[in-house]
């Protein structure tokens, strides 16, 4: 496909709704990041998986209390988004968010067209509550996401 792969971090309830009902409205995806109806995606899961985008939720599994985050893996229609540098303030700390991304200034994609995204997988990261796989002072940017379900 000529549509590039991108990642969209969101709260678990929004991911559930996106799977069931289609991609949520931007205001439902990123409470604090939805500005003028914009939806933020990224070519790297390390950025989309930051806590400001993919809020952690606690749950119990097998008698253990755990926390987790989810990110939608999508294809995004070419020409439907604007490429920009990160907008959450990490640059002032001179943080390299994703070493695999050649241009850190192209780490954030912004669109107002939710139909430009075609989700095809849910990636999940699980960790001990209060012990996120951190490397960005509470923004939960480290660790590895694993495929939960893929429709591709």
């Amino acid at each position: 496909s000529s549509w590039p792969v991108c990642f969209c971090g969101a709260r678990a309830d929004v991911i559930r709704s996106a799977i069931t009902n289609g991609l949520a409205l931007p205001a439902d995806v990123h409470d604090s990041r939805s500005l003028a109806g914009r939806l933020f995606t990224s070519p790297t899961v390390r950025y989309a998986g930051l806590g400001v985008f993919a809020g952690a939720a606690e749950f119990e599994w097998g008698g253990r209390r755990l926390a987790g985050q989810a990110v939608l893996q999508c294809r995004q229609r070419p020409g439907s988004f604007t490429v920009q540098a990160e907008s959450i303030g990490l640059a002032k700390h001179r943080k390299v968010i994703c070493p695999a991304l050649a241009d850190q200034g192209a780490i954030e994609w912004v669109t107002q067209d939710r139909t430009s995204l075609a989700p095809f997988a849910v990636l999940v990261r699980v960790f001990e509550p209060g012990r996120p796989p951190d490397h960005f002072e509470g923004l939960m940017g480290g660790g590895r996401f694993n495929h939960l379900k893929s429709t591709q």
Side-chain angles (χ1 to χ4, degrees), residues 43-130:
T44 174
V45 71
R46 288 178 61 95
Y47 187 69
L50 294 174
V52 295
F53 301 115
E58 290 191 20
F59 61 96
E60 190 170 320
W61 184 69
R64 289 181 59 197
R65 193 84 187 141
L66 297 169
Q69 294 172 283
V71 172
L72 288 172
Q73 186 173 15
C74 308
R75 294 267 181 190
Q76 193 159 1
R77 185 174 54 246
S80 67
F81 55 90
T82 302
V83 176
Q84 63 186 33
E86 62 89 10
S87 64
I88 59 173
L90 292 177
K92 67 183 173 193
H93 300 290
R94 299 176 192 247
K95 299 286 187 184
V96 173
I97 299 164
C98 182
L101 186 63
D103 183 0
Q104 297 293 303
I107 203 160
E108 194 172 87
W109 299 353
V110 184
T111 187
Q112 291 186 318
D113 181 4
R114 72 184 190 136
T115 66
S116 70
L117 292 171
F120 66 87
V122 175
L123 307 179
V124 176
R125 171 169 59 194
V126 178
F127 48 90
E128 300 288 330

Side-chain angles (χ1 to χ4, degrees), residues 33-55:
R33 301 288 301 142
S34 179
L35 305 169
R38 296 185 293 169
L39 182 62
F40 296 80
T41 59
S42 178
T44 174
V45 71
R46 288 178 61 95
Y47 187 69
L50 294 174
V52 295
F53 301 115

Side-chain angles (χ1 to χ4, degrees), residues 8-11 14 23-31 34 39-40 52-53:
C8 183
R11 297 182 324 263
V14 174
L23 194 62
L25 293 172
D28 294 335
V29 175
H30 310 298
D31 291 331
S34 179
L39 182 62
F40 296 80
V52 295
F53 301 115

Side-chain angles (χ1 to χ4, degrees), residues 6-23:
C6 68
F7 302 91
C8 183
R11 297 182 324 263
D13 61 319
V14 174
I15 299 283
R16 187 178 311 113
S17 175
I19 292 168
T20 307
N21 306 313
L23 194 62

